[in-house]
Structure formats: C-alpha cells, structure tokens
Amino acid sequence: MSVGASAPRRLAPRQRMLAHLVALYGDRAGAGAWDEIERLIDGFTATHPALARRRAASPRDRLTQADNLLITYGDSIRPDAWFVDDGAPGDGVRPDGARPAGELTPLGCLGRVLRARVGDVVRGVHLLPFFPYSSDYGFSVIDYRAVNPDVGTWADVARLAGDVDLCFDAVVNHVSSQSPWFQGYLANRAPWRDYFLSVAWSDDLSKVARPRATKLRTPFETARGTRHVWTTFGPDQIDLNFQNPDVLIEMLDVLLGYAARGARMLRLDAIGYLWKEVGTSCIHRPETHRVIQLLRAMFEAIAPDVLLLTETNVPQDENLSYFGDGHNEAQLVYQFALPPLTLHAFMKQDARKLARWASELATPSDETTFLNFLASHDGIGLRPVEGLVNSVDVAAMIRQVQHHGGFISLRSMRDGRTAPYEMNVNFFDALSSPTADEPLDHQVMRFIAAHALMIAQAGIPAIYIHSLLGSRGWRAGVLAGGENRVINRRPLALGALEAELDDPTSLRRRVLDRLLHLLRVRAAHAAFHPQAPQRVAQGEGVDPGLFALLRGAGDGRVLAVHNVADRAQRLAFPPALMARAADGLRNLLADGPMADGAGASIRLDDGALVVPPRGVRWVALPGDDGWG
C-alpha cells in the first residue's frame, strides 16, 4: 500500500488505523505503534463508556441548519476586577494579580454573556487555545493537558460544554520552547530527545513552503551541543517530529483527552505542515493525509460524533484536498477564500467573482461540508484567492485595508523575497473606514449584508466574537507593541460590555440583534441545511451588485439575495413565477431587526426583485417557482 493511499473503506476502523500506521512507519514499527494505540483506545473506551456508546447521527443530520460556531478566545471577555485596559497588547490582567474570591473567570464571563445575551441561538463555541502558553496568543502551547489559570479551569470548560457544543483547538504541529517536552529534548532525556527535528545547516530547505517570514531553523544549546531545530512558525514554536511514532501516540492521547473533556469538534491547527522531510515542500505531504485518516478512523471507532476541522490557509484546491475521498479525512474545511472574496465584492460593489467561485463549490460526499466565516483571531488570508482575484484588485484590497487602519503581514518566498500573506484588520473596518464621513447605519447594513451572504451559504456559519459583538479594530494595541493580529483581539471588560449591550442604540447591540436574527431564521428553514441544494443565480437578469442564492428544494426553497453595492440592484424573476408573485412573496426576515421596511410581503417591480443599497432579502419561494 503506497503512502498517501486510503485504507479501504470495507476495513473496520481499527484495521484502517493499523494499515495507516504500517504505511507511515513500516511493518515492524507500525505494528509496535498499533499495540500501544490499541491499549490507549481500549483504556479510553473502558474509562468513558458513555462516549464509546454514543453513536453519531446519519451523516446528513450530524450537522443541521441550526448548527453554527462562535469563534472566541477563552479570555476575550474578562471580569472587571481582573481587567486593566491600558492600551497595551498584553494580557489585560491586573499587575498585582488580584482576583477576588468568587469572582467569575474569563470562561465564566463568556458563559454568562452567552446565556444572558445569546441563549440557544449559538449552538457551538470554538475555543481558541486556552492552555498555558508562552507566545503567539495561545498557539505556543506549554501544556496541552492544563487550562491557563488566567482563562479559567476545567470546571469552567465543563460548564460551558453543558450549554453548547465545544470545538477545541488542537495545536498539533508545534509546542512552546518552554514546554516540558522541549526542555526534555534540550536535556537529552527520554523520550523527548526524539520528539523534535534537528536540521543540519547544510541541508537544502529551499523547497519548503513558508507561511511566515521568520527563520525556518533556530539554534538551541542542548546537552548534545548546538542543534538547529525546525521552527516553521517562529523561534518559540518548535515543530514536533511525527516521523517518530511515539509523538503520534502522545498526541492521540491528548486528543482523546479533549473528547473526554467535552470536545465535539477538533480544529487541527496548521495541519498542512505536520510532516517534515528535507528535499520536499513539507506541506500537504501524503503522510499528513495519512495521519488525518488515522484520526478519523480512531474517532469513528470510539467517539463517532467527534468531528474534524482542518485549518489550511492555502489556495482552494489544496484546501479541499483535506476532505480526502469524502469519507476518510476531515468532515469540515474552512472556506478561506470567502473572506477576501466578500471584501473584494463590497470594495468593487460587484459580486460576480464571488458568485462564480460559489457556483463551482462542491463537497465530495454528504459526510462533508464547509465552515463558512468572514473574520477570525487571525486576518484575511490572500493565498486562498490566488487565481481567483487578479494582482491589481489584490493590491487595491491591501490599500483599502491600510487606509482603513489595518496592517499587512508577509511570508517568505522560495526565491528569498517576501510577499503579502494576510491582511490584519477588523472585518467591520475592512468594509467601512472608521474615519469615513458615512452614516453608521450604512456601515451596519454593509456589515450585516456581508454576514447574511455568509450565513445563507451551504455549510456551517462561524462568527468571530468581535464580529458578533460589533467591535471595531484595536489599532492602538498593535502600535503599542503587539503583533499585527492583535488588531482583532482586544479584550473586553464584562461590565462595560454588558452596559453597551443594555443600550438598544449602541453599535454592539444593533449588530448582535441582527446577527442573531439571521441565525434564528436560518435555523427555522430546512433550505439552509448544510447539505441542502445550492444554486447561484447569475448572468442576465441579475445586476452585478447582487449575490443571490437558491437554497433547498420543493416547497421549502428560499431565494437569498444580498446587495454588495451602495445603490439599488435588480434581480429579474422567471415569467412562470411572476404571476404567482402578484400578491407578494413572503419575506423571511420580516419579523425582527432585519425587516428593513420591506414588511412581511415583498412585491416585484416590473417583474424584478429590487434590493435596496446594502440590503438583504430572504424570500420563500413556491414549489413550482420557475427556476430550474
């Protein structure tokens, strides 16, 4: 069996795991690794019988139109008694470390806001790394099995898991230089002496794909002398050596622990860089796909409702490869092209590129779907639109982001040059300049229209906490010494946040109410099921400023139309539908903050649906609606 090939589906999950191990490590080492892993999963099954007995729903119904994710750090909201907002990009915790007895932890604050302000509308929470760390705001993990005390406790995580489905961040590619594992490597102690990759200075690494502009190898003094250690993401983030099966076994134990702690989804951070081999690009290696397939088989065997989400901020075709054959790798992949394409559409006031891209999307099976998002703790990646947006428009987006107060991050190219990799900006600010003389109502409508077109698409919507709460960018945090990504990571004080949310006229409340309304309407209509049919309306009869989707089938079909322009746009209706629409069509957004003056019934204007500037129309269609 060649490396990178899938183990046959007819094999039971445990047989597939063994096949993957043999392919990765050879007959003898693979069989030895399987003995250890089998003991591990047998122990897990015995210790957690409820998880082992729990069986996933059918692939189609594992995720429904009611599912969504809130992306957040565990300490995005902090108790007032802990909080110091001095404008600096630090942790925001009081210098004296004072924490009154009984005071809520940041995770407790998050749970309080979700229960009081969101209710059951948000079904899932993606907790970004909440473990002890040394840098990169959590992505340089010191201890995978502990909760950072500045965030909360495992008890806080358990309480949150009782309210929502949790997605844990699995930072599997690298650990902190301060971790016990790496300290054991430096001291040449077993088993950690073989957990990391030492690279000879003479090794040719020119083919290695680089996500950042930092050095790929970092010198460390060890008990064996100077070692140049592989550091894909920076000198404090030490890449793990998955060529050593002991590393894989250790990480499997970590991930099983997350499932035991309530994780229903695992986000595999930076997974594309997992397998390093000198002389290759060290990205998307067939061995990496093997590891993901092994993870999928393991959870199918002992915790089948745990889903895998791969984080690969790369061009579209490379990203989609992590679905595997549709049955053997990740159930979800990020739509990394969606944020820059959406920004491009609003910048140009022309949705045709976005529509063409969306019209070609497909998943390989009903076990797979997309995670749709516009903003995250990082920035807006540019690699995903390679081949989709020309260099002139990319340069225009960069200029707009910088004009709106954002920053640009670079990556190293193989020829030694650097190139823009990511636009670091709050998404509200990316769409609307914080210093522009434009009514705030227009800015809110533009922001909500962008999220509506994301929420309407096939897949699962994910909303970043600073988008849900209507934040603007934290430029001062970057200028005070933080990295570019700090612009979208400002910590919020619980008391001040609650006061703003109590004010129905505040920006935060206006944004929150509208986004929650969109999620409620989505949850109520089967047309928005992740696997429901989707067709993009484009071409003649559709003004270029419209992004229009036909979702669902039969009597439940919905026409979701979004205007990315600052002027009214028209969508012509088929003649067969016009007569049936004479008395108006039902506006699904009529009841609530998205009514926009349209009322419960939408009438056509000379055979066309007219959408106001920055407007959104979700329209219920009759079964025989005239659209093919």
Side-chain angles (χ1 to χ4, degrees), residues 87-434:
D91 58 14
V93 175
R94 284 174 49 161
D96 60 7
R99 298 171 189 171
E103 184 71 40
L104 283 173
T105 64
L107 278 173
C109 293
L110 174 64
R112 171 167 154 172
V113 170
L114 290 177
R115 287 188 291 272
R117 308 290 176 166
V118 175
D120 62 358
V121 180
V122 169
R123 293 281 296 271
V125 172
H126 167 205
L127 283 177
L128 292 156
F130 52 86
F131 319 106
Y133 71 95
S134 55
S135 64
D136 201 18
Y137 214 79
F139 285 90
S140 187
V141 178
I142 294 174
D143 184 351
Y144 288 108
R145 297 180 173 96
V147 176
N148 182 353
D150 288 335
V151 172
T153 66
W154 279 120
D156 291 318
V157 175
R159 279 191 289 272
L160 198 57
D163 295 333
V164 294
D165 289 338
L166 289 183
C167 172
F168 282 21
D169 223 297
V171 188
V172 295
N173 181 74
H174 48 262
V175 301
S176 165
S177 65
Q178 297 180 27
S179 71
W181 296 2
F182 190 64
Q183 293 303 306
Y185 168 85
L186 296 179
N188 195 28
R189 294 198 302 268
W192 305 288
R193 63 167 64 98
D194 298 316
Y195 270 33
F196 303 94
L197 290 161
S198 176
V199 189
W201 194 251
S202 59
D203 285 339
D204 182 6
L205 304 181
S206 61
K207 293 182 179 179
V208 176
R210 299 306 323 283
R212 295 188 183 172
T214 53
K215 292 182 178 179
L216 183 60
R217 44 192 160 194
T218 302
F220 286 90
E221 294 304 318
T222 79
R224 292 172 285 180
T226 302
R227 290 288 186 271
H228 292 88
V229 180
W230 205 297
T231 52
T232 298
F233 288 88
D236 185 45
Q237 293 167 291
I238 317 299
D239 288 57
L240 286 161
N241 175 21
F242 278 87
Q243 294 181 34
N244 176 1
D246 290 343
V247 172
L248 176 63
I249 294 167
E250 182 93 64
M251 194 56 69
L252 294 182
D253 183 62
V254 167
L255 298 184
L256 287 174
Y258 293 169
R261 296 284 193 176
R264 303 294 291 274
M265 184 183 297
L266 295 173
R267 173 188 181 268
L268 304 179
D269 175 67
I271 190 66
Y273 301 93
L274 189 75
W275 197 277
K276 267 69 71 172
E277 187 173 336
V278 173
T280 74
S281 66
C282 301
I283 188 172
H284 313 319
R285 298 292 301 159
E287 296 88 348
T288 295
H289 287 278
R290 280 278 188 191
V291 172
I292 298 170
Q293 290 167 24
L294 188 149
L295 290 176
R296 173 71 178 267
M298 180 181 74
F299 282 111
E300 282 183 1
I302 59 176
D305 60 346
V306 173
L307 302 175
L308 301 179
L309 164 66
T310 49
E311 189 262 337
T312 51
N313 192 355
V314 292
Q316 183 82 355
D317 290 345
E318 299 172 34
N319 188 35
L320 297 182
S321 72
Y322 288 86
F323 280 137
D325 65 10
H327 307 281
N328 64 345
E329 292 193 34
Q331 290 96 344
L332 298 102
V333 302
Y334 279 89
Q335 285 281 42
F336 275 110
L338 182 57
L341 283 173
T342 301
L343 175 58
H344 175 269
F346 279 91
M347 179 189 76
K348 301 285 286 187
Q349 301 193 37
D350 185 334
R352 286 177 291 187
K353 276 189 179 359
L354 176 63
R356 282 195 294 272
W357 167 80
S359 69
E360 297 173 357
L361 289 175
T363 61
S365 77
D366 64 359
E367 296 181 28
T368 56
T369 195
F370 297 110
L371 189 80
N372 299 320
F373 76 111
L374 294 180
S376 73
H377 60 293
D378 290 340
I380 302 172
L382 290 170
R383 290 214 65 205
V385 290
E386 290 176 7
L388 299 174
V389 176
N390 63 47
S391 59
V392 173
D393 283 353
V394 168
M397 281 197 292
I398 289 173
R399 288 195 299 273
Q400 174 164 310
V401 163
Q402 292 174 319
H403 179 67
H404 290 191
F407 300 88
I408 307 300
S409 293
L410 305 176
R411 69 183 180 101
S412 294
M413 306 290 282
R414 291 176 184 171
D415 61 4
R417 295 180 299 115
T418 58
Y421 168 71
E422 183 178 78
M423 299 180 291
N424 302 111
V425 64
N426 169 281
F427 204 81
F428 198 116
D429 292 349
L431 295 172
S432 304
S433 172

Side-chain angles (χ1 to χ4, degrees), residues 349-619:
Q349 301 193 37
D350 185 334
R352 286 177 291 187
K353 276 189 179 359
L354 176 63
R356 282 195 294 272
W357 167 80
S359 69
E360 297 173 357
L361 289 175
T363 61
S365 77
D366 64 359
E367 296 181 28
T368 56
T369 195
F370 297 110
L371 189 80
N372 299 320
F373 76 111
L374 294 180
S376 73
H377 60 293
D378 290 340
I380 302 172
L382 290 170
R383 290 214 65 205
V385 290
E386 290 176 7
L388 299 174
V389 176
N390 63 47
S391 59
V392 173
D393 283 353
V394 168
M397 281 197 292
I398 289 173
R399 288 195 299 273
Q400 174 164 310
V401 163
Q402 292 174 319
H403 179 67
H404 290 191
F407 300 88
I408 307 300
S409 293
L410 305 176
R411 69 183 180 101
S412 294
M413 306 290 282
R414 291 176 184 171
D415 61 4
R417 295 180 299 115
T418 58
Y421 168 71
E422 183 178 78
M423 299 180 291
N424 302 111
V425 64
N426 169 281
F427 204 81
F428 198 116
D429 292 349
L431 295 172
S432 304
S433 172
T435 60
D437 184 17
E438 180 185 31
L440 185 59
D441 280 348
H442 292 183
Q443 299 180 43
V444 171
M445 289 177 66
R446 186 177 296 117
F447 185 70
I448 297 302
H451 280 80
L453 71 82
M454 179 270 287
I455 290 169
Q457 291 185 59
I460 298 299
I463 301 177
Y464 186 47
I465 191 164
H466 280 296
S467 295
L468 186 71
L469 297 177
S471 297
R472 304 303 290 257
W474 192 30
R475 184 176 171 84
V478 180
L479 297 179
E483 62 171 86
N484 289 350
R485 289 173 170 176
V486 166
I487 197 167
N488 210 20
R489 299 176 180 176
R490 184 172 192 168
L492 304 174
L494 178 63
L497 173 62
E498 290 184 322
E500 288 185 84
L501 293 178
D502 284 336
D503 178 2
T505 67
S506 71
L507 174 61
R508 293 194 186 280
R509 176 70 177 274
R510 290 157 71 183
V511 169
L512 177 64
D513 285 351
R514 284 159 176 77
L515 290 178
L516 292 181
H517 182 55
L518 287 168
L519 292 175
R520 286 191 190 96
V521 173
R522 180 184 187 271
H525 294 275
F528 294 115
H529 190 286
Q531 302 295 342
Q534 173 172 296
R535 179 183 156 207
V536 180
Q538 55 183 330
E540 187 175 353
V542 183
D543 279 357
L546 291 182
F547 181 71
L549 297 171
L550 289 154
R551 295 298 316 277
D555 289 334
R557 288 232 283 183
V558 170
L559 174 66
V561 189
H562 316 86
N563 188 354
V564 305
D566 293 335
R567 57 190 179 281
Q569 300 282 292
R570 296 169 60 89
L571 186 153
F573 269 47
L577 180 56
M578 280 190 266
R580 302 188 66 175
D583 295 328
L585 294 163
R586 184 160 63 98
N587 176 16
L588 300 181
L589 300 175
D591 298 326
M594 289 293 297
D596 192 23
S601 181
I602 297 175
R603 295 184 180 275
L604 301 183
D605 179 4
D606 194 22
L609 175 67
V610 179
V611 185
R614 302 164 294 276
V616 178
R617 297 288 183 266
W618 287 359
V619 182

